[in-house]
């Protein structure tokens, strides 16, 4: 899912020196992110290793996706859009349910990777992505340097990746695919640090009430989830061993 780094109206956030509130906010963000990753991992494993479930998504005779498979492939994007644009109107419980459903559907949509790559390489890349993500998250949280301009460059890079990926859907160039993946790794590594710093400032802000902050926890978790998943998929394209 290479086309999603969510941008919310964080421009007018007033930063205050509230380290405790910031740590609590970030901790809740990562808790929800880990819950989503666990749900996605379970869904991906179940559908990737259970032939009867996988047949619901893929027609083994033709190699094409079934109607349900096509729906599952595009539905995560719909959930992201609904959550992003409906955050202010949706209640926290509904937003949480949507987030959980998104994580399950996204796990189902990437279950194919267990057919394309060896299980050991998928696990190895997942561990590598986790380490890289963790290092950049700590860097983004602890740095005193303002990463706003850096983040803007990363977002421009993300837009470029989306455009190049769409073009390569028609060109089907393996070389271009590798170039996109290498650039994608750099972009999502940078976005991880930028997004964590942005969320740290949200957590320390007095501008939002508790109810709104609870929703922002979920949206922040969604943002970091997408950063991690895209980093993982980009690394997998480069280093994954195909069957």
């Amino acid at each position: 899912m290479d086309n999603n780094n969510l941008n919310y109206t964080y421009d007018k956030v007033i930063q205050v020196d509230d380290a405790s509130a910031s740590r609590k906010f970030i901790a809740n963000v990562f808790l929800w992110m880990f819950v989503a990753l666990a749900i996605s991992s379970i869904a991906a494993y179940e559908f990737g290793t259970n032939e009867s479930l996988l047949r619901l998504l893929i027609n083994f005779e033709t190699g094409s996706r079934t109607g349900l498979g096509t729906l599952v492939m595009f539905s995560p994007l719909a959930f992201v859009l609904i959550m992003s644009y409906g955050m202010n109107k949706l209640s926290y419980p509904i937003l949480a349910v949507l987030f959980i459903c998104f994580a399950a559907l996204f796990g189902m949509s990437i279950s194919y990777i267990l057919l394309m790559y060896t299980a050991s390489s998928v696990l190895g890349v997942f561990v590598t992505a986790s380490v890289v993500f963790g290092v950049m998250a700590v860097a983004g949280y602890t740095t005193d340097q303002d990463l706003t301009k850096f983040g803007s460059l990363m977002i421009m890079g993300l837009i470029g990746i989306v455009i190049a990926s769409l073009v390569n859907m028609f060109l089907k160039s393996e070389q271009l695919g590798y170039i996109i993946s290498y650039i994608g790794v750099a972009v999502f590594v940078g976005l991880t640090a930028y997004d964590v710093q942005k969320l740290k400032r949200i957590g320390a802000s007095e501008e939002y009430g508790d109810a709104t902050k609870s929703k922002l926890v979920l949206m922040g978790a969604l943002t970091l989830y997408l950063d991690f998943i895209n980093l993982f998929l980009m690394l997998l394209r480069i280093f994954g061993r195909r069957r």
Side-chain angles (χ1 to χ4, degrees):
M1 196 167 189
D2 306 331
N3 58 340
N4 290 304
N5 183 65
L6 306 179
N7 295 308
Y8 309 112
T9 54
Y10 294 156
D11 301 338
K12 300 180 180 179
V13 171
I14 302 171
Q15 187 175 2
V16 297
D17 188 15
D18 191 347
S20 178
S22 180
R23 285 195 296 269
K24 181 179 179 181
F25 181 84
I26 289 292
N28 287 332
V29 167
F30 275 98
L31 176 60
W32 272 104
M33 175 195 165
F34 293 147
V35 167
L37 284 175
I39 293 171
S40 295
S41 299
I42 293 171
Y45 178 80
E46 289 297 327
F47 277 81
T49 58
N50 189 319
E51 184 176 329
S52 61
L53 291 177
L54 194 58
R55 283 184 178 275
L56 297 175
L57 307 179
I58 300 175
N59 187 321
F60 279 34
E61 285 67 36
T62 63
S64 60
R65 294 181 182 272
T66 64
L68 178 60
T70 301
L71 179 64
V72 166
M73 180 175 65
F74 289 106
S75 59
L77 177 58
F79 274 82
V80 169
L81 294 175
I82 292 171
M83 292 176 67
S84 302
Y85 292 105
M87 187 189 78
N88 293 327
K89 297 180 180 179
L90 297 172
S91 67
Y92 175 76
I94 292 177
L95 206 61
V97 170
L98 288 175
F99 185 41
I100 292 172
C101 291
F102 159 80
L105 287 169
F106 194 80
M108 292 166 60
S109 72
I110 62 171
S111 59
Y112 70 90
I113 64 176
L114 294 176
L115 299 179
M116 297 176 60
Y117 301 96
T118 63
S120 59
S121 68
V122 171
L123 179 60
V125 171
F126 186 87
V127 172
T128 301
S130 300
V131 172
V132 173
F133 180 89
V135 169
M136 295 311 298
V138 171
Y141 187 82
T142 57
T143 184
D144 294 326
Q145 184 176 356
D146 187 356
L147 300 178
T148 301
K149 292 183 178 179
F150 174 74
S152 298
L153 291 175
M154 294 298 99
I155 292 171
M156 290 174 61
L158 176 61
I159 294 172
I161 290 173
V162 173
I163 295 173
S165 298
L166 291 174
V167 171
N168 202 37
M169 287 178 62
F170 299 97
L171 296 179
K172 300 185 184 302
S173 170
E174 185 174 349
Q175 184 176 7
L176 178 57
Y178 275 110
I179 293 173
I180 292 172
S181 296
Y182 277 107
I183 296 174
V185 169
V187 167
F188 287 108
V189 163
L191 281 175
T192 297
Y194 166 69
D195 286 332
V196 169
Q197 184 183 79
K198 183 172 62 177
L199 290 167
K200 176 185 176 182
R201 292 175 175 174
I202 291 297
S205 170
E206 291 182 336
E207 182 173 340
Y208 302 105
D210 291 340
T212 301
K213 272 196 173 181
S214 295
K215 294 181 182 180
L216 288 173
V217 164
L218 289 174
M219 301 311 293
L222 178 60
T223 299
L224 295 186
Y225 172 96
L226 292 172
D227 286 342
F228 176 83
I229 286 294
N230 280 292
L231 175 62
F232 165 67
L233 293 176
M234 294 292 180
L235 286 172
L236 188 62
R237 291 172 188 170
I238 298 171
F239 300 110
R241 293 194 302 273
R242 292 183 177 270
R243 291 183 179 277

PDB file of all heavy atoms in Angstrom, residues 18 64 85 168 172 174 206 208 238:
ATOM      1  N   ASP A  18       5.028  19.387  28.097  1.00  0.00           N
ATOM      2  CA  ASP A  18       4.302  18.388  28.875  1.00  0.00           C
ATOM      3  C   ASP A  18       4.811  17.023  28.464  1.00  0.00           C
ATOM      4  O   ASP A  18       4.192  16.323  27.670  1.00  0.00           O
ATOM      5  CB  ASP A  18       2.804  18.524  28.636  1.00  0.00           C
ATOM      6  CG  ASP A  18       1.993  17.685  29.627  1.00  0.00           C
ATOM      7  OD1 ASP A  18       2.610  16.832  30.298  1.00  0.00           O
ATOM      8  OD2 ASP A  18       0.783  17.883  29.721  1.00  0.00           O
ATOM      9  N   SER A  64      -6.024 -15.453 -11.285  1.00  0.00           N
ATOM     10  CA  SER A  64      -6.556 -14.106 -11.087  1.00  0.00           C
ATOM     11  C   SER A  64      -7.288 -14.015  -9.750  1.00  0.00           C
ATOM     12  O   SER A  64      -7.598 -15.034  -9.120  1.00  0.00           O
ATOM     13  CB  SER A  64      -7.502 -13.729 -12.224  1.00  0.00           C
ATOM     14  OG  SER A  64      -8.594 -14.634 -12.274  1.00  0.00           O
ATOM     15  N   TYR A  85     -11.217  11.262   6.507  1.00  0.00           N
ATOM     16  CA  TYR A  85     -12.149  12.362   6.264  1.00  0.00           C
ATOM     17  C   TYR A  85     -13.333  12.371   7.225  1.00  0.00           C
ATOM     18  O   TYR A  85     -14.029  13.370   7.349  1.00  0.00           O
ATOM     19  CB  TYR A  85     -12.648  12.303   4.819  1.00  0.00           C
ATOM     20  CG  TYR A  85     -11.559  12.613   3.813  1.00  0.00           C
ATOM     21  CD1 TYR A  85     -10.975  11.593   3.070  1.00  0.00           C
ATOM     22  CD2 TYR A  85     -11.107  13.910   3.631  1.00  0.00           C
ATOM     23  CE1 TYR A  85      -9.963  11.868   2.151  1.00  0.00           C
ATOM     24  CE2 TYR A  85     -10.093  14.193   2.720  1.00  0.00           C
ATOM     25  CZ  TYR A  85      -9.529  13.172   1.989  1.00  0.00           C
ATOM     26  OH  TYR A  85      -8.529  13.446   1.096  1.00  0.00           O
ATOM     27  N   ASN A 168       4.466   2.221 -13.647  1.00  0.00           N
ATOM     28  CA  ASN A 168       5.082   0.898 -13.794  1.00  0.00           C
ATOM     29  C   ASN A 168       4.057  -0.223 -13.840  1.00  0.00           C
ATOM     30  O   ASN A 168       4.381  -1.342 -14.250  1.00  0.00           O
ATOM     31  CB  ASN A 168       6.067   0.652 -12.646  1.00  0.00           C
ATOM     32  CG  ASN A 168       7.098  -0.391 -12.997  1.00  0.00           C
ATOM     33  OD1 ASN A 168       7.560  -0.468 -14.131  1.00  0.00           O
ATOM     34  ND2 ASN A 168       7.471  -1.211 -12.033  1.00  0.00           N
ATOM     35  N   LYS A 172       5.506  -2.419 -16.481  1.00  0.00           N
ATOM     36  CA  LYS A 172       5.929  -3.707 -15.920  1.00  0.00           C
ATOM     37  C   LYS A 172       7.446  -3.881 -16.013  1.00  0.00           C
ATOM     38  O   LYS A 172       7.959  -4.934 -16.403  1.00  0.00           O
ATOM     39  CB  LYS A 172       5.210  -4.871 -16.630  1.00  0.00           C
ATOM     40  CG  LYS A 172       3.710  -4.815 -16.499  1.00  0.00           C
ATOM     41  CD  LYS A 172       3.048  -6.034 -17.096  1.00  0.00           C
ATOM     42  CE  LYS A 172       1.530  -5.952 -17.049  1.00  0.00           C
ATOM     43  NZ  LYS A 172       1.001  -5.782 -15.690  1.00  0.00           N
ATOM     44  N   GLU A 174      10.914  -4.395 -14.381  1.00  0.00           N
ATOM     45  CA  GLU A 174      11.493  -4.908 -13.142  1.00  0.00           C
ATOM     46  C   GLU A 174      12.556  -3.955 -12.608  1.00  0.00           C
ATOM     47  O   GLU A 174      12.659  -3.742 -11.392  1.00  0.00           O
ATOM     48  CB  GLU A 174      12.106  -6.293 -13.394  1.00  0.00           C
ATOM     49  CG  GLU A 174      12.626  -6.964 -12.126  1.00  0.00           C
ATOM     50  CD  GLU A 174      13.087  -8.387 -12.372  1.00  0.00           C
ATOM     51  OE1 GLU A 174      12.817  -8.918 -13.469  1.00  0.00           O
ATOM     52  OE2 GLU A 174      13.726  -8.957 -11.465  1.00  0.00           O
ATOM     53  N   GLU A 206      -1.955  21.264  24.169  1.00  0.00           N
ATOM     54  CA  GLU A 206      -3.171  21.495  24.958  1.00  0.00           C
ATOM     55  C   GLU A 206      -4.346  21.889  24.076  1.00  0.00           C
ATOM     56  O   GLU A 206      -5.429  22.190  24.580  1.00  0.00           O
ATOM     57  CB  GLU A 206      -2.914  22.612  25.980  1.00  0.00           C
ATOM     58  CG  GLU A 206      -1.951  22.221  27.086  1.00  0.00           C
ATOM     59  CD  GLU A 206      -1.774  23.335  28.092  1.00  0.00           C
ATOM     60  OE1 GLU A 206      -2.002  24.500  27.714  1.00  0.00           O
ATOM     61  OE2 GLU A 206      -1.415  23.047  29.243  1.00  0.00           O
ATOM     62  N   TYR A 208      -6.109  20.138  21.941  1.00  0.00           N
ATOM     63  CA  TYR A 208      -7.155  19.142  21.752  1.00  0.00           C
ATOM     64  C   TYR A 208      -7.664  18.619  23.095  1.00  0.00           C
ATOM     65  O   TYR A 208      -6.896  18.442  24.035  1.00  0.00           O
ATOM     66  CB  TYR A 208      -6.637  17.967  20.919  1.00  0.00           C
ATOM     67  CG  TYR A 208      -6.125  18.373  19.571  1.00  0.00           C
ATOM     68  CD1 TYR A 208      -4.753  18.413  19.312  1.00  0.00           C
ATOM     69  CD2 TYR A 208      -6.999  18.726  18.554  1.00  0.00           C
ATOM     70  CE1 TYR A 208      -4.274  18.788  18.073  1.00  0.00           C
ATOM     71  CE2 TYR A 208      -6.535  19.097  17.314  1.00  0.00           C
ATOM     72  CZ  TYR A 208      -5.170  19.136  17.080  1.00  0.00           C
ATOM     73  OH  TYR A 208      -4.688  19.507  15.858  1.00  0.00           O
ATOM     74  N   ILE A 238      13.152  -5.911  -2.347  1.00  0.00           N
ATOM     75  CA  ILE A 238      14.585  -5.853  -2.618  1.00  0.00           C
ATOM     76  C   ILE A 238      15.289  -7.120  -2.139  1.00  0.00           C
ATOM     77  O   ILE A 238      16.096  -7.712  -2.869  1.00  0.00           O
ATOM     78  CB  ILE A 238      15.222  -4.621  -1.928  1.00  0.00           C
ATOM     79  CG1 ILE A 238      14.604  -3.336  -2.476  1.00  0.00           C
ATOM     80  CG2 ILE A 238      16.733  -4.619  -2.131  1.00  0.00           C
ATOM     81  CD1 ILE A 238      14.989  -2.092  -1.715  1.00  0.00           C
TER      82      ILE A 238
END
